[in-house]
Amino acid sequence: MPAFAYRVARSDGTTLEGRAEGDDEQAVRSQLEGQGLLVFRLRRLGALPSFLDAGWWTRRTLPLQEFLIFNQEFLALVKAGLPILKVWDLLIERTRRPVFQGVLRTVRQDVRGGASLAEALSRHLSQFPDLYIASVRAGEQAGNLPEVLQRYIAYLKLIIGLRQKMMKALSYPAFLVVVGVAVVAFLLTYVLPTFSAVYGESTTAIPPATKALIALVQAFQANVFTAAALLVVSAAGFRMWMRTPEGRARWDRFILTPPLIGEILVNHYTVQFTRTLSTVLGAGTPLITALPIVRGAVSNRFIADGLAAATERVREGGTLAAALGQARTLPRLALEMVAVGEETGALETMLRDVAELYEGDLDQRLNQLTTWIEPVLLLIMGVIVGAIVIVMYLPIFQMAGTVR
């Protein structure tokens, strides 16, 4: 019987990973859901690696921008008053990605068989996030699916904008680092050996700094394969460590500690959490049910673990602000605003205000990062390249002084 690896969440928000056996993926999923578990990931063990799959060149998940367009088309068709099966037929025709089109066909077949749309979507968590499924389920139950879809589309636009800001802030510094490393590598692997051959034929004494640099490059060239092997092994070991729950949690906690980068990431995850929770609550989902869904949408494992503990405290009767304060997952100002939202009965609105506040702060800090990091990187690269060039030319300067 085939075996499947799974990652699920209990009703209290804690997650579990393990293995289960079943005739197929749907049977295992039904078995886990029958135990009251929320399935995040389900993968058959022993399957061929993705690069050996016949369709390895086809993207398995829909890009966020295309998922936004899909939902905009979905909303327009629903607002037009078309039957759900007709809506799905039109969406299938407009989809150009074979994998996603096949998923839509399966969803349509399940809906025709009597399943609700949310239930049919929940069988394809690799394509439809938990937050999206919960929103559709709430919209179906309340009879306001267009309103829920419109709210989710607004949420997607904000998340896409947030990602674009992060990528824009980091793209140019990354480009500078790549170019700088390439220039240094060119100098050390091509230019310096040429100078070394010339100096070897000269009777002039080579300065100690030039000797040290030549010896360093020669030692690296002699052990390049060993260095590459160590680099590959280290990268593989780090990746395996990152796949463990403890390793991922420790790394996610570590990246929150640096002065400027840590503050930017804290703001980013604060926006991610508050914006997502506001969207889920706005769809009509109760807080106890919404917290595990939001926890699955938070990409930082350390913060997600803190949300799991906060969920349990809320389940025991505590307030959300107090539970988050004990978990130390959000900044103090955000906690105070959440507390006010709970006291006034306007938690959803206050969460949205918190997200907007920290989005503005995030913009400011990203601007500071890009303003300072670019000249700093240029200065560092200039000093390194300049030092290498000066060390390479020291024997020539020395010979010129001798001639005089």
Side-chain angles (χ1 to χ4, degrees):
M1 185 174 293
F4 296 82
Y6 63 80
R7 182 170 178 260
V8 297
R10 293 195 185 105
S11 58
D12 59 1
T14 58
T15 59
L16 295 174
E17 294 184 0
R19 297 176 53 180
E21 295 183 350
D23 295 331
D24 52 25
E25 181 178 341
Q26 185 57 42
V28 176
R29 185 181 298 276
S30 300
Q31 176 186 350
L32 295 172
E33 291 177 347
Q35 300 173 11
L37 301 173
L38 177 63
V39 181
F40 286 146
R41 184 177 68 245
L42 187 61
R43 179 178 59 85
R44 181 171 177 172
L45 296 176
L48 288 175
S50 58
F51 60 86
L52 296 178
D53 192 352
W56 65 272
W57 57 85
T58 304
R59 187 178 180 123
R60 295 296 176 182
T61 57
L62 202 63
L64 204 58
Q65 189 69 39
E66 293 188 23
F67 192 57
L68 171 63
I69 297 173
F70 165 79
N71 280 283
Q72 289 174 330
E73 295 174 348
F74 185 21
L75 174 61
L77 294 173
V78 170
K79 281 187 172 182
L82 297 176
I84 189 65
L85 291 178
K86 180 62 177 177
V87 168
W88 227 243
D89 286 337
L90 295 173
L91 291 174
I92 291 171
E93 291 178 3
R94 294 185 60 82
T95 301
R96 294 294 177 262
R97 292 185 178 268
V99 173
F100 190 64
Q101 191 176 60
V103 170
L104 294 184
R105 293 184 189 278
T106 305
V107 170
R108 184 188 184 282
Q109 183 178 354
D110 292 340
V111 173
R112 180 184 288 276
S116 67
L117 180 57
E119 182 182 354
L121 295 175
S122 66
R123 297 169 185 172
H124 306 279
L125 290 178
S126 62
Q127 299 289 339
F128 303 103
D130 296 320
L131 172 60
Y132 181 71
I133 296 171
S135 299
V136 172
R137 180 179 290 110
E140 287 184 305
Q141 293 174 352
N144 62 343
L145 184 58
E147 180 182 345
V148 170
L149 286 175
Q150 198 160 3
R151 185 186 298 270
Y152 186 81
I153 287 171
Y155 165 78
L156 273 183
K157 289 180 179 179
L158 291 169
I159 294 300
I160 291 173
L162 184 62
R163 288 188 178 185
Q164 290 175 344
K165 291 174 186 176
M166 296 289 289
M167 292 299 297
K168 183 178 179 181
L170 299 177
S171 58
Y172 186 64
F175 173 76
L176 291 178
V177 171
V178 171
V179 171
V181 171
V183 170
V184 171
F186 174 75
L187 290 174
L188 295 180
T189 59
Y190 180 77
V191 179
L192 183 62
T194 303
F195 278 78
S196 178
V198 173
Y199 296 151
E201 299 174 357
S202 174
T203 58
T204 305
I206 300 177
T210 307
K211 284 184 178 181
L213 183 60
I214 293 174
L216 179 64
V217 173
Q218 290 176 343
F220 176 77
Q221 290 177 339
N223 300 280
V224 62
F225 294 107
T226 303
L230 288 174
L231 182 62
V232 171
V233 171
S234 301
F238 178 75
R239 185 175 181 182
M240 292 178 62
W241 178 71
M242 280 286 291
R243 288 183 174 180
T244 63
E246 181 181 359
R248 177 65 184 274
R250 287 191 175 186
W251 174 255
D252 284 351
R253 182 174 185 175
F254 168 75
I255 62 176
L256 299 177
T257 54
L260 183 57
I261 300 296
E263 293 172 359
I264 290 175
L265 290 175
V266 168
N267 287 355
H268 170 72
Y269 292 124
T270 300
V271 173
Q272 191 179 53
F273 168 73
T274 53
R275 182 71 70 185
T276 305
L277 183 56
S278 173
T279 301
V280 178
L281 293 178
T285 306
L287 179 61
I288 294 298
T289 307
L291 286 175
I293 297 173
V294 175
R295 179 178 180 268
V298 174
S299 52
N300 186 286
R301 182 64 61 86
F302 173 71
I303 294 179
D305 291 343
L307 293 178
T311 301
E312 184 61 28
R313 295 188 183 98
V314 173
R315 190 179 300 277
E316 293 173 356
T319 63
L320 177 61
L324 293 175
Q326 293 179 15
R328 297 180 180 179
T329 54
L330 295 183
R332 183 175 181 81
L333 177 59
L335 293 176
E336 293 178 353
M337 293 179 68
V338 170
V340 172
E342 287 185 294
E343 293 173 0
T344 58
L347 180 59
E348 176 201 343
T349 303
M350 188 59 70
L351 287 169
R352 188 164 57 248
D353 292 341
V354 172
E356 292 175 355
L357 172 65
Y358 279 89
E359 281 173 357
D361 190 52
L362 181 62
D363 285 339
Q364 181 180 358
R365 293 186 183 276
L366 286 175
N367 290 333
Q368 290 177 351
L369 177 65
T370 53
T371 300
W372 286 99
I373 199 170
E374 292 172 10
V376 169
L377 285 176
L378 287 173
L379 177 62
I380 292 174
M381 294 302 173
V383 169
I384 294 175
V385 173
I388 293 174
V389 172
I390 290 174
V391 169
M392 287 191 304
Y393 276 92
L394 275 178
I396 296 177
F397 298 153
Q398 190 176 33
M399 286 186 291
T402 304
V403 170
R404 288 182 182 178

